[in-house]
DNA sequence: GTGTTCTGTGCAAACGATTGTATCTACTAA
DNA sequence: TTAGTAGATACAATCGTTTGCACAGAACAC
């Protein structure tokens, strides 16, 4: 039943040439004659030859596999990004190994360890909500595995990043609300360890100042992205003496959690209190009462860019020193 | 910067023993003395030794990698299933390579080819909407790669399957509607090539007969799962002289497409026409007007079972002949 | 006829681990 | 004392492929 492994040895035997000739022929080596090449290809096809990746890896030290670690696939943003990555990478003959951290540092570390032992050629990562230190990623670098971060990129470190223009998007969101006459605006941000949270805050801040809106310290909340924490924080906002008229949320999930909590408190979202968020998930199109507006971050494109950058680094000659790149992708505020 | 690969050879040198001793020590071979073992482990740890998977594969012909091909990760059902698969499989030291077919036969075939050339130890698949023939999967079997299908399993073939109890779920859904006094019930099914579509139809059919509900040929529609086709089919139903009072949909996405189309036609879903569907996606919890009820299919559990079955087959001794298994997981109708 | 330059091919040593068999030492039992 | 045995380790072949080097023959110029 089981096909015995076809090797170049068998091809060589069948043709009465040596295995080195076969190997070179299959690689289109210029020193091999045209006729020989044709014969080799014909026999290879006939025998259904599939090169053994292990042997190639052993010689070339390349797995043609890249590892991706991200919070969770169930978030459409990430599954779209994966699709972008896959499209770019599979075109170049690479495979993708995916691991979900589910926002747990421990899972993230496990994934990285597994990437090291399976010898991936590179890693694309979007860090977990718990991640504040990067020694585990440094470990990858020690093994010479290049890394590109996307969306949830670490701050403070010189690394390759692909991310949305969050500062501007946040600014734009606030301006959008201000144009509607809203003045008291809160922010339900994510964990402070993420650079993209700083950026949201910065855009928020800038906008408040430049547009002359009131800056209230208690309007600024950060959550660990869980439903529970989000509910708690929105409750705090609602309980204030002067609650905000609008909330800028870290992403659509946070907005949905918060909006549900509002409903439970008898407050009608987007009427009594307005919501604007990030991600612009396709599912929001099916909501009767989606966030007023959401920042489209072009996840697919981000995945593509990250993959392209990674491949570029992998393909760079070993002695070339590459400066870490910081690619910023423009976002777009979509009004629902 | 780049750590040179640490090999057992270096460990051997450091200790002044032979590489075979090191190899056996690392595998806890009984023939190696306790003291030697301890020393080997200590040095391995010190040098940060990571075994080279290629070399092991070359000898043992095992990649410790399994391939998963499914329609799309963005569907929460599938990302949940992946999570179940990952949890089971990573515990046994396996990796997962994921490929999305996006319901295209060509992409599915490409994924399988790539699985063959990367020598995965096994494959878990949920077939694309376009798939009607299975020769590409047979190809995998030719190479001795075991396959387990889940949810979207092929029909007519003797293969390993893990699937929901769809016949019963469909029956139950119809009974649920009948109990509410509904009599004219249509079905918006998926492509006929999928066994799970047959089963939906069978359950639907059985229920209509046993409950004495009218059987109308034009009430039975099948779609290719796309938004366009779904809109077209629901339009046909709405345009009938005696349109159905309720529609049983292939899954929540189909239901959402259909419901949106209804709205466009000025018909209020779940009031003018009722919807019941499959999948019970978490996102429906955020809808103001979700399908009236949805069949929970326990995707995570399905993924787990599929992974367990696959590992069991992989671990079975080569000469053992295994009967294909058909594992059925109970579903549950969740009323919203 | 001798050297030079191509072209086309083969030999054999890697890559890093596993594993059957051989070897060496020390100890026990007769 | 000596054969026998068990324990600990080493040797070397092997997995499938790549690749530097060697080599053979043909074509060409002088």
């Amino acid at each position: 039943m089981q096909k015995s492994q076809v090797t170049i040895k068998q091809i060589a035997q069948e043709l009465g040439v040596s295995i080195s000739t076969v190997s070179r022929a299959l690689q289109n080596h210029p020193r091999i004659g045209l006729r020989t090449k044709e014969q080799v290809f014909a026999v290879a096809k006939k025998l259904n030859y599939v090169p053994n990746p292990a042997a190639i890896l052993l010689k070339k030290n390349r797995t043609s596999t890249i590892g991706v670690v991200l919070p969770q696939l169930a978030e459409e943003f990430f599954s779209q990004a994966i699709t972008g990555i896959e499209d770019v990478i599979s075109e170049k003959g690479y495979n993708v190994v995916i691991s979900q951290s589910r926002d747990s540092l421990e899972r993230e570390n496990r994934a990285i360890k597994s990437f090291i032992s399976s010898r991936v050629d590179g890693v694309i990562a979007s860090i977990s909500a718990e991640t504040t230190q990067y020694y585990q990623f440094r470990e990858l670098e020690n093994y010479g595995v290049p890394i590109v971060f996307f969306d949830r990129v670490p701050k403070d470190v010189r690394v390759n990043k692909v991310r949305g223009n969050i500062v501007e998007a946040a600014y734009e969101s606030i301006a959008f609300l201000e144009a509607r006459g809203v003045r008291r605006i809160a922010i339900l941000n994510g964990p402070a360890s993420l650079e993209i949270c700083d950026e949201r805050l910065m855009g928020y801040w800038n906008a408040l100042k430049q547009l002359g809106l009131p800056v209230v310290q208690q309007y600024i909340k950060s959550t660990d992205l869980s439903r529970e924490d989000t509910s708690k924080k929105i409750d705090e906002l609602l309980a204030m003496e002067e609650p905000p008229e609008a909330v800028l949320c870290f992403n659509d999930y946070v907005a949905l959690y918060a909006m549900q909590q509002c409903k439970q408190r008898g407050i009608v979202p987007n009427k009594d209190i307005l919501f604007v968020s990030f991600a612009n998930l396709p599912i929001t199109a099916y909501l009767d009462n989606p966030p007023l507006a959401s920042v489209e971050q072009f996840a697919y494109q981000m995945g593509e860019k990250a993959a392209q950058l990674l491949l570029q680094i992998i393909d760079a000659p070993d002695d070339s020193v590459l400066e870490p790149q910081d690619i910023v992708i423009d976002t777009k505020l979509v009004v629902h």
Side-chain angles (χ1 to χ4, degrees), chain A residues 170-211:
Chain A
Y171 188 104
E172 213 181 314
S173 307
I174 303 299
F176 162 79
L177 287 167
E178 194 262 355
R180 297 193 144 216
V182 178
R183 290 189 53 82
R184 297 196 311 279
I185 305 171
I187 179 167
L188 260 182
N189 213 348
S193 51
L194 300 179
E195 188 172 17
I196 47 174
C197 291
D198 278 10
E199 291 174 350
R200 277 168 175 74
L201 198 56
M202 198 180 302
Y204 167 80
W205 206 269
N206 290 347
L208 293 188
K209 285 202 183 147
Q210 291 200 21
L211 300 171

Side-chain angles (χ1 to χ4, degrees), chain A residues 138 141 147-149 153-154 157-161 324-326:
Chain A
R138 295 263 172 249
E141 283 172 357
I147 316 166
V148 173
F149 293 93
V153 303
V157 264
R158 299 189 72 225
V159 292
N160 293 289
K161 309 173 179 181
Q325 290 202 40
D326 185 359

